[in-house]
Amino acid sequence: MRVRKRTEFMELQAQGEKASGRHFTVLGAPAPGGVWRLGVTVSRKVGNAVTRNRVKRRIRESFRRHVVDLRAPWRVVVIARPSAAEADWEAVFRELGHLLARFGRRP
């Protein structure tokens, strides 16, 4: 359930829809395979390796909890901003839920 190839990241950046929040930017496009797929980008501007990995774990867990409420499958890439390092779990969960909802929820 991951976006891993650079070509996919670049394709989503060029052609995908964009939703931005305080701590994250989400790029998305409909998934042809019928499965939600997630890519995560956390640059060194966010912090050291420990901080970046914590942010990635929070993003992945938030995605896992929200994906059950989402409708038609999309490929999404979440780009963390430096402020994501100071965000608590609740802020991450709420913001990603709001951003993913822009790509549609089940009726």
Side-chain angles (χ1 to χ4, degrees), residues 22-99:
R22 181 175 179 202
H23 304 297
F24 304 100
T25 298
V26 178
L27 308 171
V35 176
W36 274 88
R37 296 183 61 212
L38 172 69
V40 178
T41 302
V42 183
S43 74
R44 281 189 260 172
K45 293 178 184 179
V46 174
N48 63 19
V50 173
T51 303
R52 293 193 310 269
N53 285 329
R54 184 178 65 241
V55 169
K56 287 187 267 189
R57 282 192 307 270
R58 287 179 176 182
I59 291 169
R60 287 192 300 264
E61 183 59 26
S62 180
F63 178 78
R64 278 187 206 104
R65 291 184 183 194
H66 284 295
V67 78
V68 296
D69 296 331
L70 301 170
R71 60 177 184 170
W74 284 65
R75 291 178 299 158
V76 294
V77 172
V78 178
I79 303 169
R81 295 185 176 166
S83 63
E86 289 88 37
D88 64 350
W89 165 246
E90 285 298 319
V92 170
F93 188 74
R94 264 185 279 118
E95 183 171 332
L96 284 176
H98 177 69
L99 294 173

Side-chain angles (χ1 to χ4, degrees), residues 3 5 9 14 17 26 39-40 43 76 85 95 102-103 105:
V3 175
K5 295 183 181 179
F9 278 92
E17 296 179 28
V26 178
V40 178
S43 74
V76 294
E95 183 171 332
R102 291 185 185 184
F103 296 106
R105 290 204 177 266

